[in-house]
Amino acid sequence: MTSEPEIKYDFNAIEQKWRERWLSTHAFKASEDPSRKKYYQLEMFPYPSGRIHMGHVRNYTIGDVVARYKRMKGFNVLHPMGWDAFGLPAENAAIKNNTHPAKWTYENIDYMKKQLQRMGFSYDWNRELATCNPDYYRWEQLFFVKLFKKGLVYQKKTTVNWCEDCQTVLANEQVIDGLCWRCDHQVQPREMNGWFFKITDYAEELLAECDNLTGWPEKVLTMQRNWIGKSVGAEVDFPVEGMDDILQIFTTRPDTIFGATFMSIAPEHPLVEKLSKGTTHEKEVAEFVLRTKNLKQGKKPGEELEKEGVFTGRYCINPFNDERIPIYTANFVLMEYGTGAVMAVPAHDQRDFEFAQKYGIPIKIVIQPANRTLEISSLEAAYCESGVLTGSAEFDGLDSEKAQEAIINHAAQKGFGKARTTFRLRDWGISRQRYWGAPIPMISCQKCGMQPVPEEDLPISLPTDVKFDKSGKSPLHTLKSFYQTTCPSCQGEARRETDTMDTFVESSWYFARYTCPDFTDGPLKKEAVDYWLSVDQYIGGVEHAILHLLYSRFFTKIMRDLGYLTIDEPFKNLLTQGMVIKDGSKMSKSKGNVVDPNDLVEKYGADTVRLFSLFAAPPERDLEWNDQGVEGAFRFLNRVYRFIVANCDSTSKARTEIDPDRLNNASRTLHRKTHQTIRKVSGDIEVNFHFNTAISAVMELTNTMFSLTGEATTEKIDQTVIREAVDSVLLLLYPMVPHFCAELWEQTGHLDSLDHTAWPGFNPEAAKEDELTIVIQVNGKVRGRLQVAPDISEEDLKQQALADEKIQKFIGETKIRKVIVVKNKLVNVVAN
RNA sequence: GCGAGAGUGGCGGAACUGGUAGACGCACUAGACUUAGGAUCUAGCGCCCUUCGGGUGUGGGGGUUCAACUCCCCCCUCUCGCACCA
């Protein structure tokens, strides 16, 4: 053993010390201060499933770096955390372990909160909220009642997505490839009564506003736009021959209406039975409807059925030319979209084309492209583009666009049609037949119908004295003390709604409640939301690109229209971080490739885990977890620790102004590298949160520090320059490895806490290279290098390059055609 | 099928508005210090050819340019999203 005492980076002691200090001093408590510029940093809050996983660690580390960085930049930062605490797992656990969901949930919250604190995330824990708390969901119930009164909440009976395993209904957004988003079981259609939020009223705004979300990834916006799915077109009424009924269709191509040679309607269409009744096709149609229904249920997700249909035995009349058109029912027509009936134009729609060919239905060309002429005899596929109308009476010769307008006008004038826009987006069904959720505040009275719970009676709290049985059914449905109530209108006997709300309702507005979590006079405190909202930076997984983000946008507009907010959009900037994967695939128990944050934190400390998750990949990309890489991150911190302890123990006084002219070469090199590093790291964080390159820049700086102070060096580095470099390293790394930096900052004699120190600026003069390496190419190939002063003239540079011995050799006898000089970069000699 | 994104050493990843491809880290190899080292330090590390020195190289093929990972065209592969939306 040498005489040198071993320098030990005791991360346990360091992290415990700072963790406790931050907690006891409420170091990250935020309060409104109109004199300061605010910054609201938010990460998607977790479901308290039991323990945090690597995805959380990554997500929250990224957010924490931003929060701490913005504080150093002088912003008044709001960085809250809470719990998305309602949901099915709590209920399942309750059934399995015979405990109460609340107990399970709160125990998980306690544990996970400790885990988050162990990671050193700089949350304002005073603002912590759990959505299962009546103090939270009471306001959601108030929103519900207010929206009901505005007609934005309604009840209807529809075919819903039923998950047998979860014993509940799912929203369209929660069905993925025909499977339940939570448990992966096949979803069944089922007729049910449920409550709906009228999100379709906001479809237009939700779509239009996408254009203003410049801080969102294009990918997410595209997904939202597709989900909303706007199509502009017309609605046209086709009278049914021999009946009083009319068949209403929706089309985006009214210009092709003269080419309609049959109608196809969805098998579920209410008219199907009536149309075929009494015709010779009645039996066939009934069989087809039944068969299609079974087929649709049994088909694999994503699988496309072969186009099939049957004639209903009836005709309708094209109101434009009085032609008789046969009505078919076809398996590819969706009842849920448009009117559930379409006019079929085989010449100009591929599906109709295939259908017409299969059943020998005539094809009629009514659109001709500009560059060629379509012939029925040679038509191999539908022509779906626009063109010039033909065979369309008085509309002949118009181009598609003008014709659409003219045809819609004509229909409107005659009263059998009008312009119409449809959306793919459906209203949001929020009824869940579960216990562990926010009760829907409605009362059903035999006499008065559906009545909202009076606002002063809110909240309707979840009863706690409930028993769960193995059936998995919600105990609320059979809990008399809960559902038995009186009608607020007639005081008669009435029944309380026993369904609870979709948990996505809670997460649709939690970001706003964080601004005033303890406010009791209403859901939101005006001064607080006006100061803090909107969220400046939101960070979470891309898996929420549609569900949560769309609902949150919708709720923001609702809260605005209820007068609680003035903003239109909740999240100014969105970062969707990639997944954490191991051995090429997503971490999962079944694959056995799960890495537990606890084990890592125990072995290396929170700072190392944070550092590696930032270093291994840029945030938006998937991160391949690598145990040896973590080791590398740990090694780096040890290196920095060793350097600082070895070089800075003696003094805190060597912190004076640096005069560059008086420095020796080595000192100047380090001084320059320090300022270049500050410039690089600031840019990497500010521009696109590329922490991986920021960290590698600091690694370069520390490598320089070591090599310039090593035993082989002849020049002694100025102590002030070393101090400047060390201070910079600590400041630059602080947002990423805060315990580590705070400790060393203190140990190196700083009196002020690093938590309140500003982000360093760089001196452009100091960062400037005093010698540049210029590459010399001959015919595009690198043949030599030149050391020159930065401000050398192009002519001088050219002369020096041409004079170079190696370059001479390569030019040889060939003739110089051209010399390209790029300032501060290269010289390319073109010769042949 | 449609839409979006991505293909760079053994691996994770760098490369500004076209201008030294492979920063930084991991792994690996050799050496130093050591009773020992999985600690630390030094050096090397795309591929090919014999060292000097060359050649070649960013999924494949064309093109623009003095110069292409970067721009244009065609193709291949992977990931994600949508999927009969009339």
Side-chain angles (χ1 to χ4, degrees):
Chain A
M1 201 64 200
T2 51
S3 57
E4 292 267 343
E6 206 181 322
I7 298 165
K8 193 165 170 271
Y9 160 42
D10 185 355
F11 59 84
N12 265 321
I14 293 172
E15 291 181 2
Q16 188 184 348
K17 169 181 165 183
W18 288 92
R19 180 163 70 243
E20 283 168 5
R21 183 172 303 181
W22 288 329
L23 280 174
S24 64
T25 59
H26 299 279
F28 308 110
K29 187 171 160 56
S31 43
E32 292 99 81
D33 179 355
S35 71
R36 292 175 65 201
K37 218 168 171 269
K38 67 92 186 181
Y39 193 89
Y40 186 175
Q41 165 59 44
L42 184 66
E43 299 101 63
M44 292 179 184
F45 66 167
Y47 176 77
S49 56
R51 36 178 48 214
I52 61 170
H53 53 69
M54 273 303 159
H56 291 127
V57 168
R58 187 182 191 201
N59 187 177
Y60 300 156
T61 298
I62 295 166
D64 198 50
V65 176
V66 177
R68 288 182 185 263
Y69 171 75
K70 290 292 176 182
R71 279 192 204 101
M72 291 175 89
K73 294 291 277 185
F75 289 92
N76 186 19
V77 173
L78 174 59
H79 189 212
M81 181 44 72
W83 311 95
D84 190 11
F86 271 139
L88 206 44
E91 219 165 319
N92 292 339
I95 294 163
K96 201 170 146 199
N97 308 327
N98 200 26
T99 59
H100 195 277
K103 183 166 180 279
W104 184 86
T105 302
Y106 280 110
E107 278 172 5
N108 287 347
I109 288 176
D110 283 346
Y111 186 79
M112 290 171 75
K113 184 174 175 180
K114 286 211 181 69
Q115 287 189 296
L116 294 182
Q117 287 175 336
R118 182 76 184 75
M119 290 303 300
F121 298 136
S122 64
Y123 300 123
D124 179 357
W125 285 107
N126 297 298
R127 292 171 185 266
E128 179 183 5
L129 58 80
T131 57
C132 62
N133 188 326
D135 289 341
Y136 180 82
Y137 67 73
R138 61 178 296 191
W139 303 116
E140 188 169 308
Q141 292 174 332
L142 181 69
F143 290 143
F144 188 100
V145 168
K146 286 185 181 295
L147 292 173
F148 176 79
K149 290 172 184 168
K150 281 188 83 169
L152 286 167
V153 166
Y154 65 97
Q155 195 181 32
K156 72 173 172 190
K157 190 164 198 168
T158 49
T159 309
V160 294
N161 311 300
W162 176 261
C163 175
E164 186 60 31
D165 194 62
C166 299
Q167 283 284 311
T168 191
V169 163
L170 302 169
N172 285 354
E173 288 84 345
Q174 293 163 346
V175 181
I176 295 148
D177 291 339
L179 304 177
C180 170
W181 70 293
R182 184 139 244 167
C183 70
D184 279 352
H185 276 75
Q186 179 91 40
V187 168
Q188 305 290 338
R190 194 185 236 204
E191 282 283 308
M192 254 185 153
N193 226 352
W195 291 98
F196 287 81
F197 281 150
K198 230 173 170 182
I199 190 171
T200 51
D201 267 21
Y202 288 82
E204 196 74 68
E205 190 188 342
L206 286 166
L207 180 68
E209 206 84 55
C210 282
D211 296 342
N212 302 333
L213 294 174
T214 51
W216 283 40
E218 202 47 51
K219 177 191 165 88
V220 175
L221 291 175
T222 305
M223 284 165 74
Q224 294 234 339
R225 287 190 185 106
N226 289 343
W227 190 264
I228 296 167
K230 179 179 177 174
S231 350
V232 179
E235 198 175 81
V236 184
D237 297 338
F238 286 64
V240 179
E241 191 186 58
M243 290 173 77
D244 290 336
D245 294 274
I246 52 162
L247 197 57
Q248 191 174 63
I249 60 101
F250 171 74
T251 178
T252 55
R253 291 297 300 273
D255 53 318
T256 64
I257 200 159
F258 285 84
T261 54
F262 64 101
M263 302 296 256
S264 30
I265 68 176
E268 305 92 331
H269 197 285
L271 273 181
V272 168
E273 206 189 323
K274 197 171 170 189
L275 286 172
S276 60
K277 196 158 187 155
T279 72
T280 53
H281 298 268
E282 186 175 351
K283 203 173 149 215
E284 201 191 343
V285 169
E287 277 170 10
F288 175 79
V289 169
L290 195 71
R291 187 154 44 91
T292 306
K293 198 176 155 189
N294 290 337
L295 225 61
K296 271 192 179 171
Q297 252 184 51
K299 79 170 180 142
K300 288 200 193 84
E303 189 186 13
E304 203 166 297
L305 295 173
E306 206 206 328
K307 289 174 186 38
E308 265 190 280
V310 292
F311 179 46
T312 59
R314 292 274 178 181
Y315 292 82
C316 64
I317 306 296
N318 186 337
F320 277 84
N321 56 8
D322 293 333
E323 264 178 37
R324 278 178 96 218
I325 304 181
I327 305 173
Y328 283 70
T329 174
N331 64 354
F332 63 87
V333 181
L334 305 173
M335 190 58 223
E336 312 86 69
Y337 186 76
T339 60
V342 293
M343 66 174 198
V345 185
H348 306 293
D349 181 288
Q350 188 56 29
R351 287 157 307 186
D352 299 342
F353 183 80
E354 287 171 29
F355 194 90
Q357 283 206 318
K358 181 168 179 177
Y359 294 104
I361 301 168
I363 296 173
K364 205 177 142 193
I365 292 168
V366 291
I367 303 284
Q368 287 291 356
N371 52 352
R372 62 200 164 104
T373 306
L374 303 175
E375 307 269 1
I376 289 184
S377 52
S378 61
L379 202 63
E380 279 173 2
Y383 174 76
C384 306
E385 314 297 309
S386 53
V388 176
L389 271 70
T390 172
S392 300
E394 73 260 40
F395 303 102
D396 277 5
L398 290 178
D399 65 57
S400 291
E401 205 182 318
K402 286 214 182 72
Q404 295 193 1
E405 215 184 301
I407 284 172
I408 291 171
N409 285 341
H410 179 84
Q413 244 167 45
K414 302 275 180 182
F416 54 72
K418 61 180 186 214
R420 184 178 156 191
T421 301
T422 57
F423 292 91
R424 210 188 79 120
L425 181 71
R426 309 255 69 85
D427 277 339
W428 176 15
I430 57 121
S431 290
R432 296 292 179 271
Q433 293 65 40
R434 304 305 322 162
Y435 163 76
W436 192 233
I440 293 173
M442 294 298 294
I443 292 167
S444 164
C445 171
Q446 291 277 352
K447 241 168 65 194
C448 315
M450 271 298 169
Q451 300 291 319
V453 172
E455 293 182 14
E456 59 274 19
D457 290 353
L458 296 175
I460 302 302
S461 297
L462 265 185
T464 49
D465 53 335
V466 289
K467 284 242 155 28
F468 297 90
D469 60 44
K470 298 272 181 255
S471 78
K473 290 201 169 63
S474 163
L476 287 186
H477 300 320
T478 50
L479 189 67
K480 206 171 174 186
S481 61
F482 180 73
Y483 68 69
Q484 199 170 50
T485 187
T486 52
C487 171
S489 179
C490 72
Q491 311 309 319
E493 201 173 296
R495 188 183 164 95
R496 195 181 287 291
E497 172 67 64
T498 54
D499 281 355
T500 52
M501 288 191 236
D502 182 3
T503 58
F504 275 98
V505 180
E506 282 90 63
S507 55
S508 295
W509 71 286
Y510 78 110
F511 55 89
R513 182 68 182 174
Y514 274 141
T515 65
C516 52
D518 301 320
F519 189 58
T520 51
D521 298 342
L524 298 171
K525 185 174 165 192
K526 187 136 183 44
E527 306 86 81
V529 290
D530 285 351
Y531 179 71
W532 290 115
L533 292 180
S534 52
V535 173
D536 292 279
Q537 182 66 54
Y538 197 32
I539 305 176
V542 74
E543 65 273 18
H544 292 109
I546 297 172
L547 295 172
H548 164 59
L549 291 170
L550 189 67
Y551 295 150
S552 296
R553 296 182 60 217
F554 166 57
F555 245 74
T556 300
K557 294 169 195 307
I558 277 178
M559 292 188 289
R560 176 198 64 197
D561 292 347
L562 288 174
Y564 293 112
L565 295 176
T566 51
I567 55 164
D568 298 313
E569 287 288 336
F571 313 122
K572 207 176 292 168
N573 296 292
L574 173 70
L575 175 69
T576 49
Q577 104 268 7
M579 286 187 306
V580 180
I581 57 178
K582 179 107 195 292
D583 309 324
S585 56
K586 189 177 174 173
M587 288 186 184
S588 72
K589 268 189 211 141
S590 60
K591 290 206 187 74
N593 61 349
V594 178
V595 176
D596 186 358
N598 275 12
D599 298 345
L600 287 164
V601 169
E602 208 157 297
K603 193 164 172 197
Y604 301 105
D607 281 332
T608 293
V609 177
R610 292 170 61 121
L611 186 68
F612 180 72
S613 29
L614 294 165
F615 180 63
E620 64 278 5
R621 252 209 255 185
D622 285 349
L623 184 155
E624 170 75 33
W625 196 265
N626 178 333
D627 292 338
Q628 284 166 327
V630 181
E631 200 91 40
F634 185 60
R635 212 173 313 170
F636 168 67
L637 291 182
N638 274 286
R639 254 166 85 77
V640 175
Y641 192 88
R642 245 182 296 124
F643 182 91
I644 293 178
V645 173
N647 289 279
C648 300
D649 56 343
S650 56
T651 171
S652 58
K653 50 190 174 286
R655 206 173 284 117
T656 49
E657 204 63 22
I658 293 168
D659 179 1
D661 295 335
R662 300 177 57 173
L663 298 177
N664 60 26
N665 278 330
S667 297
R668 219 172 36 245
T669 301
L670 181 56
H671 179 54
R672 181 169 54 234
K673 186 77 181 170
T674 299
H675 284 264
Q676 287 174 340
T677 305
I678 297 171
R679 179 175 62 193
K680 168 79 176 148
V681 173
S682 303
D684 284 345
I685 295 182
E686 201 63 54
V687 174
N688 49 12
F689 300 144
H690 278 197
F691 310 115
N692 56 333
T693 48
I695 292 166
S696 68
V698 180
M699 285 174 167
E700 279 187 58
L701 173 58
T702 57
N703 287 347
T704 305
M705 285 156 67
F706 269 102
S707 65
L708 290 176
T709 56
E711 279 167 27
T713 55
T714 48
E715 285 184 314
K716 197 164 162 14
I717 307 272
D718 198 288
Q719 190 60 220
T720 57
V721 174
I722 290 184
R723 290 307 306 236
E724 180 190 51
V726 167
D727 283 356
S728 301
V729 166
L730 295 177
L731 286 162
L732 297 176
L733 288 181
Y734 169 76
M736 316 187 208
V737 287
H739 315 85
F740 178 88
C741 293
E743 174 63 21
L744 286 170
W745 189 257
E746 193 178 83
Q747 277 187 30
T748 51
H750 289 277
L751 300 174
D752 288 338
S753 158
L754 183 47
D755 297 321
H756 304 108
T757 305
W759 186 256
F762 66 93
N763 178 349
E765 246 349 272
K768 212 181 211 171
E769 292 286 355
D770 46 29
E771 228 182 20
L772 289 175
T773 303
I774 303 294
V775 170
I776 314 171
Q777 300 179 328
V778 177
N779 293 328
K781 291 197 165 98
V782 180
R783 299 301 186 187
R785 294 186 165 83
L786 223 48
Q787 295 295 324
V788 299
D791 36 12
I792 185 170
S793 76
E794 294 199 3
E795 189 53 36
D796 283 356
L797 189 57
K798 183 174 162 182
Q799 293 314 323
Q800 279 196 45
L802 290 173
D804 190 279
E805 213 176 295
K806 274 155 102 182
I807 302 307
Q808 288 286 338
K809 197 184 105 193
F810 275 97
I811 296 169
E813 296 303 306
T814 59
K815 188 159 180 247
I816 296 174
R817 306 282 171 191
K818 206 195 239 178
V819 179
I820 285 139
V821 181
V822 181
K823 202 168 179 337
N824 294 345
K825 291 271 191 212
L826 60 62
V827 177
N828 188 10
V829 182
V830 185
N832 55 33

